Amino acid sequence: MFGRRSPTPRPDDRPGLGIGALVQVVDTDRGGERWADEPLGVIVAPGGNQLGGSQRTWTVAFAEPAYTTDGRGPFERATVLSRQLVPVEPATDEA
């Protein structure tokens, strides 16, 4: 009732993002941390909202230690803007 928002998606939410989703972190021209080599990871928790609630984030646990383009790291997990996350289909073993 009071203070509750409707459950509509935010403009920067992509379909397929949520806890347990396999994602690749990519650079955008709209802000966010710059990650070296577009690391892969799994979303493990919501990261909250940034800048007054206009940018949604997710906590990503990386498959391998990740570094930023300016050399910081290694990071095992990080909070990443949703617009930087691209859902990835898991590889299948078809023989």
Side-chain angles (χ1 to χ4, degrees), residues 4 6 11 17 21 27 29 31 37 55-56 61 79-80 82 84 90:
R4 295 188 76 180
S6 64
L17 294 183
D27 285 339
D29 57 357
D37 303 322
Q55 298 182 24
R56 177 136 176 120
T79 301
V80 181
S82 65
Q84 290 184 268

Side-chain angles (χ1 to χ4, degrees), residues 29-92:
D29 57 357
R30 296 174 33 210
E33 189 69 65
R34 301 279 183 191
W35 293 93
D37 303 322
E38 298 187 334
L40 291 173
V42 174
I43 295 176
V44 295
N49 295 319
Q50 303 291 319
L51 297 175
S54 64
Q55 298 182 24
R56 177 136 176 120
T57 62
W58 294 97
T59 301
V60 176
F62 297 114
E64 297 180 4
Y67 293 83
T68 60
T69 56
D70 62 4
R72 288 179 292 130
F75 296 96
E76 292 183 9
R77 58 176 52 196
T79 301
V80 181
L81 293 172
S82 65
R83 68 170 153 250
Q84 290 184 268
L85 300 175
V86 176
V88 175
E89 290 294 320
T92 59

